[in-house]
Amino acid sequence: MCGIVGFSGTRQAAPVLIDGLRRLEYRGYDSAGVAVADGEEIHIAKVKGYVKNLSDLTHDGADIRGLVGVGHTRWATHGAPNDINAHPHLSSDGRFAVVHNGIIENYASLRQELTKKGIRFVSDTDTEVVAHLLEVYYDGDPKKAVMRAAARLEGSYSLGIVCLDGSGRLFALREQSPLILGLGVGENYFASDVAALVPHTKNVIYLDDGEFAELTADTVTVYDVRGKTIDKPVSRVNWDVEAAEKGGYEHFMLKEIMEQPACFKATVEPRIKNDRIEFENFDLTDEELKSIDRIIITACGSAGYAGQVGRYVIEELCRIPVSVELASELRYRNPIINERTLLIVISQSGETADTIAAMRECKARGARTLAIVNVVGSTIAKLADHVIYTWAGPEIAVATTKGYTTQVAVLDLLAVYLADRLGLMTPERYSALITAIHDMPGKLQRAIDLNRGIKKLAKRLCNHNDIYFIGRNLDYAVCMEGALKLKEISYIFAEAYAAGELKHGTIALIDQGSLVVALACHEPLFDKTMSNIEEVKARGAQVLAVALEDDRQILKKADDFILVPRTEPILNPIAQVIPLQLFAYYVAKERGCDIDKPKNLAKSVTVE
Ligand code: F6R
C-alpha cells in the first residue's frame, strides 16, 4: 500500500526523503509528498502522480530546506488521488505533519467530533484526523500528544509524524502495518520497507504493533503503548542496495525474472545438507507430524496460486488432504479447524492484511501455523509458529515473479521433506528428487534461454482482447499464475480454466481466432490435454502450446509454442511459469503499459 519514510540528520532532509520514496514507489503511486521542518515552519510539497512529479516540482528536493521530515507515496483508499488528498497532512496550527499507511476505521466519527470543535478539514482522507487530533492534544509535550491521539485511533496503520518542536522531532507508530527504524551515524530514519533504508544503513529495528518511536539525529527511543521505554533488538539486513536497483534492466520485473535461477538456488541450497532436507525452523516430532490430518494453505493472488501447485504436490507425495483457501474468504467463513490442522500461510511481503487476518482466525482455532515468507521480520513471519523464508531478495516490481517461484520451490521441498518423514518415499526416489532439485537452477536458466525469441511471439499476439489458459493438474495450477501475470500488467482479459472443464460452458466463448494458451507438460494427462486442444482448434482457436522441449507430438498441433526443459514433474511448474512471465512482460511492453507499476495496483496490500 502506501510507502512512508522519515529522516532526521544534519544534512538536507528532502533529497533523502525523495530518494527513499523512489525506492518505495512500488507500494503506491497515486501521489507523493514530503514535509520538512526547518525549526520555524513545516514546509510541504505534494503532488498527484509519480515520485518523479514530486522530484520535478522540488528540483529533487533542493527547493525545500530543513533537516528533519517525512515523506509518502500513496495508494489511495479514502479520497481521490489528487494534490489535496496527497500526504503529508498538516494540523491547522502548522505544528504537526502526518503521513499514514493503512486505514483509520473510526475516522468519520473523529472527523465529526473535530469539526464540532471548529476544525476545518481540507482533504477527504482519513489521515487528516490524526494531524488535528495531535493539535488538539498538544500541551507542550509532543510525545504525550502522540500517545493521546494514537489512543483514539481504530484500524490498522503506520504513521510518520514530524513535529515543529525545538529543532524538529520525528515520531513513528506501528499498528498492524509495517514500520522499520534505520540507525545511522548522526542521522536516523524510518520506512515502511528496508528497501528505503539500505542505502544508508543495514542496522534496523522492527517495530511491533502498539509500539512507537521518537527519533532525532542522534537518538532513537522506542516506547510501548503506555509510553514506557523498551529495549529492542537491532537486526542486520542481509542484502545490498544493488539488490533493490534495476542493474541495467529496463524494468524491475525483467530483472527479477532473470534472477530466478539464482533465487531458487539461494532458497533451496541452504536447506539441503549432505543431500538431506533440513529446515531451520520447522522441526516437528514424529508424533506431531503424524497428528496432522489436514493441511490448509491460505494466501492471496499469486501466493495463492503457488499454494495451488503446493496442493497437487503435497497431496501426491504425502497423502494428506490439502485445500487452498483465499485468505479474504477464509477469514469470514467460520472455518472448521483444529489442532490437527497445519495451516500453511504464503506471502511474499508478509504484510497482506487478509492473509494476516485469516492466519489469526485459524490460529485462534488451534491450527499450527507455518509461514512461507520473503520479508524478514514481517508480521506474518512474527505471528507464525514456524517460518521458512524464501530467499528471493527484495521484489520491487508490483507483479510477483521470483516471489512466486521461490514459494513453489519451498512447497516442493516441504512436500519431499514431509513425505520422507512420513515414511512414504523410498531412499532411491528421495535421492533422485534431491539430484533433480540441485539441477534446477540450470534448468531454469535453460527455460529463459529457450525463450529468447518470445518477444517476437508477444509482438504477434499482443492485440488479442481475451486469452484463455487451459491445462490439467499441475499445468492448470500454472495456468492460474500465467493468466494473472498477463492480465495485471498488459490489461488483457486472461483467465485460467481446467482443460476438462472448458466444455461445460466456457467453450461457448471460443471462436475463430480466439487465443488459447494450452499447457501440456503434465505427462500423465498429456493425451487428455491434447483432446482439449483438438476441441478448441475445431472451433477456430489459435493455440499457443507450452510444452516440454523434447515433445514432438504437440508441435504438429499447435500454431505456436513455448518450450520448457524437462524436469522432475513436481518441479516443472517453476520452469513453465518463467516463459509465461516473459510472455506477459513482452506483451505488456508491446502495448506500452507501465510494467513495474500496473494501474490500480500496489505491491503490498495492507488494507482489507
Ligand atoms: C500478483 C501479485 C499479487 C500478490 C498478492 C499477495 O503478481 O503480486 O497477487 O501475490 O497480493 O501478496 P503477498 O505475497 O505479499 O501476500
Side-chain angles (χ1 to χ4, degrees):
M1 296 283 101
C2 309
I4 288 180
V5 283
F7 171 82
S8 177
T10 48
R11 55 185 166 140
Q12 293 303 317
V16 181
L17 294 170
I18 290 173
D19 180 62
L21 292 181
R22 254 185 227 117
R23 294 169 194 278
L24 296 183
E25 198 168 21
Y26 69 89
R27 299 179 67 86
Y29 26 88
D30 291 336
S31 62
V34 289
V36 174
D38 67 0
E40 285 174 9
E41 203 182 320
I42 295 180
H43 305 280
I44 292 200
K46 53 185 190 173
V47 62
K48 182 180 168 181
Y50 291 166
V51 174
K52 180 169 186 320
N53 302 359
L54 177 68
S55 116
D56 289 348
L57 180 77
T58 61
H59 297 97
D60 244 341
D63 294 355
I64 308 171
R65 311 295 292 169
L67 309 180
V68 54
V70 291
H72 188 266
T73 175
R74 178 170 188 241
W75 187 84
T77 57
H78 294 65
N82 58 30
D83 291 358
I84 291 174
N85 290 331
H87 298 209
H89 292 284
L90 198 58
S91 57
S92 314
D93 61 3
R95 190 185 302 278
F96 295 96
V98 178
V99 290
H100 166 219
N101 174 33
I103 290 181
I104 312 288
E105 283 166 5
N106 60 336
Y107 89 100
S109 61
L110 291 172
R111 189 173 171 130
Q112 215 174 22
E113 175 188 322
L114 290 161
T115 307
K116 276 192 197 139
K117 285 190 202 297
I119 286 172
R120 212 177 60 78
F121 279 77
V122 293
S123 78
D124 303 319
T125 65
D126 51 341
T127 309
E128 198 184 339
V129 297
V130 183
H132 297 308
L133 280 175
L134 288 164
E135 136 188 26
V136 167
Y137 289 130
Y138 181 73
D139 63 2
D141 179 351
K143 180 186 157 201
K144 237 183 355 186
V146 165
M147 286 176 62
R148 291 179 71 189
R152 300 292 317 278
L153 305 178
E154 287 166 20
S156 64
Y157 52 83
S158 52
L159 291 166
I161 299 167
V162 58
C163 169
L164 195 63
D165 181 84
S167 55
R169 280 201 239 181
L170 285 182
F171 291 91
L173 289 78
R174 177 191 160 124
E175 183 59 50
Q176 294 177 45
S177 185
L179 206 52
I180 303 139
L181 313 177
L183 313 180
V185 179
E187 51 188 45
N188 291 304
Y189 327 79
F190 61 76
S192 345
D193 184 334
V194 286
L197 302 176
V198 280
H200 310 291
T201 179
K202 288 189 174 181
N203 295 330
V204 300
I205 292 175
Y206 295 96
L207 285 185
D208 285 304
D209 287 346
E211 293 174 352
F212 70 103
E214 185 174 348
L215 293 87
T216 66
D218 300 311
T219 59
V220 172
T221 318
V222 182
Y223 304 101
D224 68 10
V225 74
R226 285 178 299 279
K228 206 169 131 261
T229 311
I230 44 178
D231 261 345
K232 294 282 290 181
V234 177
S235 308
R236 281 283 294 172
V237 177
N238 64 358
W239 47 266
D240 292 317
V241 67
E242 295 78 41
E245 288 176 347
K246 281 191 203 151
Y249 287 95
E250 191 177 347
H251 296 98
F252 278 110
M253 183 174 176
L254 189 58
K255 175 184 175 238
E256 289 163 6
I257 291 172
M258 297 305 179
E259 283 173 351
Q260 289 177 108
C263 296
F264 181 94
K265 195 167 174 182
T267 299
V268 160
E269 299 249 302
R271 276 75 186 238
I272 304 180
K273 298 192 181 95
N274 301 320
D275 285 341
R276 305 289 309 164
I277 299 170
E278 283 174 30
F279 292 111
E280 60 279 21
N281 191 0
F282 186 58
D283 44 5
L284 303 187
T285 62
D286 286 349
E287 215 166 285
E288 285 171 325
L289 207 60
K290 291 212 167 92
S291 76
I292 295 168
D293 64 2
R294 182 174 173 215
I295 294 177
I296 296 180
I297 299 178
T298 195
C300 300
S302 292
Y305 295 153
Q308 295 286 356
V309 176
R311 174 167 79 109
Y312 283 105
V313 177
I314 296 171
E315 282 196 341
E316 177 67 27
L317 298 188
C318 309
R319 312 310 301 152
I320 301 174
V322 182
S323 59
V324 183
E325 309 271 358
L326 294 175
S328 53
E329 288 292 312
L330 182 65
R331 63 182 291 190
Y332 293 119
R333 219 192 56 210
N334 193 8
I336 302 164
I337 280 166
N338 58 34
E339 298 71 25
R340 297 169 72 87
T341 309
L342 174 65
L343 182 82
I344 303 181
V345 183
I346 308 176
S347 175
Q348 187 284 128
S349 63
E351 300 294 350
T352 303
D354 283 321
T355 311
I356 294 169
M359 183 180 186
R360 287 206 161 103
E361 184 62 44
C362 298
K363 240 180 119 97
R365 288 165 192 248
R368 182 186 284 274
T369 52
L370 165 64
I372 299 175
V373 176
N374 194 40
V375 177
V376 176
S378 56
T379 305
I380 291 175
K382 283 184 184 162
L383 277 176
D385 300 317
H386 313 273
V387 185
I388 304 176
Y389 283 108
T390 51
W391 295 121
E395 191 177 62
I396 309 293
V398 165
T400 183
T401 52
K402 60 180 184 171
Y404 168 87
T405 47
T406 51
Q407 287 160 357
V408 176
V410 167
L411 288 161
D412 281 336
L413 215 55
L414 185 67
V416 178
Y417 169 83
L418 290 175
D420 177 55
R421 291 276 315 268
L422 292 166
L424 295 172
M425 196 171 273
T426 63
E428 294 72 32
R429 177 82 181 118
Y430 185 85
S431 105
L433 282 167
I434 295 293
T435 307
I437 291 168
H438 282 310
D439 288 347
M440 274 306 275
K443 300 268 184 177
L444 298 185
Q445 190 54 51
R446 179 144 182 83
I448 294 172
D449 295 339
L450 275 172
N451 292 289
R452 297 273 175 203
I454 210 161
K455 217 189 248 184
K456 281 197 196 129
L457 190 66
K459 194 178 172 103
R460 231 173 352 95
L461 300 179
C462 69
N463 290 322
H464 281 268
N465 291 329
D466 39 27
I467 301 184
Y468 305 84
F469 283 68
I470 62 168
R472 289 168 178 264
N473 196 279
L474 283 170
D475 288 343
Y476 173 45
V478 179
C479 282
M480 297 178 198
E481 176 59 6
L484 179 61
K485 276 306 75 100
L486 190 65
K487 75 182 128 190
E488 68 183 330
I489 61 167
S490 74
Y491 317 138
I492 295 175
F493 176 84
E495 208 53 74
Y497 299 94
E501 185 63 16
L502 210 62
K503 57 184 163 298
H504 297 287
T506 306
I507 203 161
L509 297 172
I510 303 292
D511 229 332
Q512 200 60 36
S514 298
L515 180 59
V516 174
V517 180
L519 276 68
C521 296
H522 186 66
E523 289 196 306
L525 296 173
F526 180 80
D527 291 342
K528 306 274 176 207
T529 306
M530 284 300 283
S531 306
N532 300 126
I533 291 176
E534 298 281 7
E535 284 162 13
V536 293
K537 277 202 76 74
R539 277 136 189 108
Q542 190 181 346
V543 171
L544 165 60
V546 179
L548 296 175
E549 61 175 315
D550 53 9
D551 176 354
R552 293 285 159 264
Q553 207 181 331
I554 203 157
L555 305 188
K556 292 186 208 131
K557 280 279 163 293
D559 300 283
D560 290 293
F561 37 84
I562 286 172
L563 296 178
V564 296
R566 181 177 285 277
T567 66
E568 266 292 337
I570 63 160
L571 299 168
N572 204 257
I574 308 179
Q576 277 183 74
V577 84
I578 290 180
L580 293 179
Q581 296 165 345
L582 286 166
F583 181 65
Y585 173 83
Y586 285 113
V587 167
K589 196 162 171 228
E590 279 300 325
R591 292 166 70 96
C593 302
D594 193 344
I595 293 175
D596 283 339
K597 302 188 201 87
K599 72 174 153 65
N600 304 340
L601 295 179
K603 184 130 192 94
S604 174
V605 187
T606 55
V607 294
E608 191 180 334

